[in-house]
Amino acid sequence: MARRVTRQYGEPMTEKFDSRNPATGDVVGTFPVHTAEDVNAAVERARGAAAWWGDLGYAGRRGRLRAWRTQLVQRIDELADLVHRENGKPVGDAISEVVLAAEHLSWAAANAARVLGRHRVAPGMLAINQTASTTYVPYGVIGVIGPWNYPVHTPLGSISYALAAGNAVVFKPSEYTPAVGAWLAESFASVVPEQPVFQLVTGSGDTGAALCRAGVDKLAFTGSAATGKTVMASCAGTLTPVLIECGGKDALIVAGDADLDAAVDATVWGGMSNAGQTCAGVERVYVVSSVYEDFVARVSRAARLIHGGTHYGPMTMPAQIDVVRRHIDDALARGGRAVVGGPDSVQPPYVQPVVLVDVPEDSAAVQEETFGPTLTITRVRDVDEAIERANASPYGLGGAVFSAKQGDQIADRLSCGMVSINSALTYAAVPGLPWGGLRNSGFGRIHGPDGLREFAWPRAVTHQRFAPTIRALTFRRTPRDVARLKRVVQARWGR
Ligand code: NDP
């Protein structure tokens, strides 16, 4: 991040940084590098806003969140153009991203009361004289730290659900996409002008670290596993709970009875779209031997028609280009073959499609997140071997399966948080489904009922309706009460 220090007359010194168009280098916007004091002040302001927002109740918040969704949709061209300029992805992809975000925002607003409102539960034998219920209480202030690859959809996956649950939010976007973050905060403020319910802080990792330590009530992080560990460590000091959504190394399995046309289309889209910069993008493909040759030939033909700069944009973060180059070089040095592209496909700021075969399973291209438009395709004996290899990853975010008859059985055996059968990444479009992973892909869930509960804590309440028939929880308990208690439990469970 290139920083510079500026001072306006009579004002304190402020550090600023530019966000730039990754394709052209043009400045998209200039933003303050917020210090720990700035972040603390934002969290302090958020406290009051959280109380006001909480008091609006589900219905009041639903109306505001719907108005915000309408803003996103009415101004979709403006937002998509900004995403295109700042992140680099084609406008069509940016529009899809906003559509997805609007769908989730809508769902969170519509379902918060149903999911988080009071639920009666059966009191059970020992508390037959009580009614029992659970309510979900918003934490208060949620810190959200987001990545640059889906700068609208990904942070809103936390922000929409946190707001719908009744929290205020302080959001630190990636230093590569602060203008999109600012657009989101400003558009929210235009429909909720009364209080700073959704604030933005900008800067680098230091600003994110300050947010972790600012006394937020929960921190929702989306980014790499390496930063996720640092975030957890920062939050540990104050026992601040964390939600961690990290990267993936998602596998797509092609069984012998798969619709190969559909599998090829999903493989190329899932692997190359957004220049492969998708946390749940397809990076590894395991294909059953009987259809392997045909599948590789078809994927190769399809991938050769895809062009970085037309079908997808540049690499948003320059440093990622070195990772992609290293994975390709390492795979080839260890006996892999490139059937599409190769080392020359790395043409900064673009990377053209690369399809690798015969890559050893312990190489970087199979073990680490590449986050580029590359695929490894591996021949497997049968579906069992495909599942075993798909699961042998330090990551466990998503996966995809292509099979006419065995889709559900294969999906049930995959050790990852999300699976699409006969398509790729489709679970992202279903707002009622939870989103999240296992192992290095993190823990906790956004989206769906689980995503709402992630931003509220459960309060258990019992309400005594009449005196207990057997006195158990009192010093007035007599030996006769204990004997009755014993008889009841023996009658119930002892036979
Ligand atoms: P990073 O981990 O580099 O950064 C993520 C965010 O953390 C950024 O806002 C970054 O700020 C901030 N940050 C950096 N250092 C710290 C720190 N010490 N303390 C607190 N915050 C810090 O990830 P990327 O932005 O490069 O995003 C790509 C990664 O995100 C990939 O691994 C991808 O798979 C993952 N991802 C996961 C998703 C999921 O839902 N599971 C969805 C989308 C992406 P700055 O940018 O200013 O350094």
Side-chain angles (χ1 to χ4, degrees), residues 32 67 76 78 84 100 117 138 142 201 215 226-227 240 250 255 265 290 339 341 358 405 409 431 460 463 491:
I76 192 166
E78 185 192 323
H84 165 64
L100 213 52
I142 305 291
V201 290
T227 311
T240 301
D250 292 3
D265 186 50
S290 57
V339 291
D358 302 335
K405 296 220 177 83
Q409 291 94 308
H463 189 154

Short mmCIF file of all heavy atoms in Angstrom, two decimals, residues 32 67 76 78 84 100 117 138 142 201 215 226-227 240 250 255 265 290 339 341 358 405 409 431 460 463 491:
data_model
loop_
_atom_site.label_atom_id
_atom_site.label_comp_id
_atom_site.label_asym_id
_atom_site.label_seq_id
_atom_site.Cartn_x
_atom_site.Cartn_y
_atom_site.Cartn_z
N PRO A 32 -8.55 7.46 3.95
CA PRO A 32 -7.69 7.61 5.13
C PRO A 32 -7.17 6.26 5.63
O PRO A 32 -7.87 5.25 5.51
CB PRO A 32 -8.60 8.25 6.18
CG PRO A 32 -9.99 8.10 5.68
CD PRO A 32 -9.95 7.81 4.21
N ALA A 67 -35.32 -1.18 2.27
CA ALA A 67 -35.05 0.07 1.56
C ALA A 67 -33.60 0.07 1.04
O ALA A 67 -33.32 0.55 -0.06
CB ALA A 67 -35.28 1.26 2.48
N ILE A 76 -27.74 -0.46 -9.34
CA ILE A 76 -26.88 -1.62 -9.62
C ILE A 76 -25.81 -1.31 -10.67
O ILE A 76 -24.66 -1.76 -10.56
CB ILE A 76 -27.74 -2.86 -10.03
CG1 ILE A 76 -26.90 -4.13 -10.02
CG2 ILE A 76 -28.41 -2.67 -11.39
CD1 ILE A 76 -27.73 -5.41 -10.07
N GLU A 78 -24.35 1.58 -11.29
CA GLU A 78 -23.31 2.42 -10.66
C GLU A 78 -22.37 1.57 -9.81
O GLU A 78 -21.14 1.68 -9.90
CB GLU A 78 -24.07 3.44 -9.79
CG GLU A 78 -23.28 4.48 -9.12
CD GLU A 78 -24.17 5.18 -8.07
OE1 GLU A 78 -25.39 5.38 -8.31
OE2 GLU A 78 -23.64 5.50 -7.01
N HIS A 84 -16.21 -3.10 -11.04
CA HIS A 84 -15.41 -3.37 -12.25
C HIS A 84 -14.11 -2.56 -12.21
O HIS A 84 -13.02 -3.09 -12.46
CB HIS A 84 -16.23 -3.03 -13.49
CG HIS A 84 -15.43 -2.92 -14.73
ND1 HIS A 84 -14.76 -4.00 -15.27
CD2 HIS A 84 -15.17 -1.85 -15.54
CE1 HIS A 84 -14.13 -3.60 -16.37
NE2 HIS A 84 -14.35 -2.32 -16.55
N LEU A 100 -26.73 -11.34 -6.18
CA LEU A 100 -26.58 -12.34 -5.11
C LEU A 100 -26.67 -11.66 -3.73
O LEU A 100 -27.36 -12.14 -2.82
CB LEU A 100 -25.20 -12.98 -5.29
CG LEU A 100 -24.97 -14.42 -4.92
CD1 LEU A 100 -25.99 -15.32 -5.59
CD2 LEU A 100 -23.55 -14.84 -5.35
N GLY A 117 -36.58 -14.79 16.84
CA GLY A 117 -37.61 -14.43 17.82
C GLY A 117 -37.81 -15.54 18.85
O GLY A 117 -37.21 -16.61 18.75
N PRO A 138 -29.00 -9.66 20.04
CA PRO A 138 -27.86 -9.19 19.24
C PRO A 138 -26.65 -8.93 20.13
O PRO A 138 -26.79 -8.50 21.28
CB PRO A 138 -28.37 -7.90 18.59
CG PRO A 138 -29.61 -7.53 19.33
CD PRO A 138 -30.17 -8.78 19.94
N ILE A 142 -20.63 -5.45 15.83
CA ILE A 142 -19.88 -6.49 15.12
C ILE A 142 -18.81 -5.82 14.26
O ILE A 142 -19.10 -4.90 13.50
CB ILE A 142 -20.81 -7.31 14.19
CG1 ILE A 142 -21.99 -7.91 14.97
CG2 ILE A 142 -20.02 -8.40 13.46
CD1 ILE A 142 -21.67 -8.99 15.96
N VAL A 201 -14.25 1.73 8.27
CA VAL A 201 -12.89 2.19 8.58
C VAL A 201 -11.99 1.64 7.49
O VAL A 201 -12.21 0.52 7.00
CB VAL A 201 -12.40 1.74 9.99
CG1 VAL A 201 -13.16 2.46 11.08
CG2 VAL A 201 -12.51 0.23 10.17
N GLY A 215 -12.63 -3.78 21.08
CA GLY A 215 -13.73 -4.06 22.01
C GLY A 215 -15.05 -4.35 21.32
O GLY A 215 -16.11 -4.23 21.93
N ALA A 226 -4.07 -17.71 6.68
CA ALA A 226 -2.94 -17.13 7.42
C ALA A 226 -3.40 -15.91 8.21
O ALA A 226 -3.10 -15.79 9.42
CB ALA A 226 -1.83 -16.75 6.45
N THR A 227 -4.15 -15.01 7.57
CA THR A 227 -4.62 -13.82 8.29
C THR A 227 -5.67 -14.22 9.33
O THR A 227 -5.74 -13.63 10.41
CB THR A 227 -5.20 -12.77 7.32
OG1 THR A 227 -4.28 -12.58 6.26
CG2 THR A 227 -5.44 -11.45 8.01
N THR A 240 -12.68 -11.94 22.47
CA THR A 240 -13.71 -11.53 21.52
C THR A 240 -14.04 -12.72 20.62
O THR A 240 -13.13 -13.27 19.99
CB THR A 240 -13.20 -10.35 20.66
OG1 THR A 240 -12.88 -9.27 21.54
CG2 THR A 240 -14.23 -9.90 19.64
N ASP A 250 -11.15 -26.28 -3.48
CA ASP A 250 -12.32 -27.12 -3.70
C ASP A 250 -12.15 -28.10 -4.85
O ASP A 250 -11.56 -27.79 -5.89
CB ASP A 250 -13.55 -26.24 -3.93
CG ASP A 250 -13.94 -25.49 -2.66
OD1 ASP A 250 -13.21 -25.63 -1.65
OD2 ASP A 250 -14.94 -24.78 -2.67
N ALA A 255 -17.97 -38.51 -11.98
CA ALA A 255 -18.17 -39.97 -11.97
C ALA A 255 -18.35 -40.47 -13.40
O ALA A 255 -18.55 -39.68 -14.34
CB ALA A 255 -19.39 -40.31 -11.12
N ASP A 265 -18.59 -27.58 -18.48
CA ASP A 265 -19.01 -26.18 -18.34
C ASP A 265 -18.78 -25.69 -16.91
O ASP A 265 -18.22 -24.61 -16.69
CB ASP A 265 -20.50 -26.07 -18.71
CG ASP A 265 -20.96 -24.64 -18.74
OD1 ASP A 265 -20.29 -23.82 -19.38
OD2 ASP A 265 -21.99 -24.33 -18.10
N SER A 290 -12.74 -44.07 -16.68
CA SER A 290 -13.48 -44.40 -17.91
C SER A 290 -13.82 -43.15 -18.74
O SER A 290 -13.99 -43.26 -19.96
CB SER A 290 -14.77 -45.15 -17.55
OG SER A 290 -15.54 -44.35 -16.66
N VAL A 339 -1.84 -28.97 -20.31
CA VAL A 339 -2.54 -29.26 -21.57
C VAL A 339 -3.19 -27.99 -22.13
O VAL A 339 -3.59 -27.96 -23.29
CB VAL A 339 -3.59 -30.40 -21.41
CG1 VAL A 339 -2.90 -31.73 -21.16
CG2 VAL A 339 -4.59 -30.09 -20.30
N GLY A 341 -2.21 -23.74 -21.82
CA GLY A 341 -1.36 -22.70 -21.24
C GLY A 341 -0.10 -23.27 -20.63
O GLY A 341 0.36 -24.36 -20.99
N ASP A 358 -1.55 -34.80 -14.48
CA ASP A 358 -0.45 -35.60 -13.93
C ASP A 358 0.34 -34.85 -12.85
O ASP A 358 1.56 -35.01 -12.72
CB ASP A 358 0.53 -36.03 -15.05
CG ASP A 358 -0.16 -36.83 -16.14
OD1 ASP A 358 -1.20 -37.45 -15.85
OD2 ASP A 358 0.33 -36.83 -17.29
N LYS A 405 -26.42 -40.85 -11.05
CA LYS A 405 -27.11 -41.68 -10.05
C LYS A 405 -26.54 -41.59 -8.64
O LYS A 405 -27.23 -41.87 -7.67
CB LYS A 405 -27.03 -43.14 -10.48
CG LYS A 405 -27.75 -43.45 -11.78
CD LYS A 405 -28.47 -44.79 -11.70
CE LYS A 405 -29.27 -45.08 -12.96
NZ LYS A 405 -28.45 -45.66 -14.02
N GLN A 409 -25.01 -39.74 -2.68
CA GLN A 409 -24.11 -40.59 -1.88
C GLN A 409 -22.71 -40.00 -1.83
O GLN A 409 -22.05 -40.00 -0.79
CB GLN A 409 -24.01 -42.02 -2.43
CG GLN A 409 -25.27 -42.84 -2.31
CD GLN A 409 -26.11 -42.75 -3.58
OE1 GLN A 409 -26.41 -41.65 -4.06
NE2 GLN A 409 -26.50 -43.88 -4.13
N PRO A 431 -30.14 -18.45 -0.29
CA PRO A 431 -29.88 -17.71 0.95
C PRO A 431 -30.22 -18.48 2.21
O PRO A 431 -29.68 -18.19 3.28
CB PRO A 431 -30.75 -16.45 0.82
CG PRO A 431 -31.67 -16.68 -0.32
CD PRO A 431 -31.12 -17.78 -1.16
N ALA A 460 -31.65 -18.37 27.40
CA ALA A 460 -32.62 -19.38 27.83
C ALA A 460 -33.42 -18.84 28.99
O ALA A 460 -32.86 -18.28 29.93
CB ALA A 460 -31.87 -20.64 28.25
N HIS A 463 -40.06 -19.90 32.99
CA HIS A 463 -41.06 -19.07 33.67
C HIS A 463 -41.96 -19.99 34.48
O HIS A 463 -42.68 -20.81 33.91
CB HIS A 463 -41.87 -18.30 32.60
CG HIS A 463 -42.77 -17.28 33.17
ND1 HIS A 463 -43.17 -16.18 32.48
CD2 HIS A 463 -43.36 -17.19 34.40
CE1 HIS A 463 -43.97 -15.45 33.25
NE2 HIS A 463 -44.10 -16.05 34.41
N ALA A 491 -39.55 -45.00 37.20
CA ALA A 491 -40.70 -45.38 36.38
C ALA A 491 -40.45 -44.96 34.92
O ALA A 491 -40.83 -45.65 33.98
CB ALA A 491 -41.96 -44.73 36.92
#
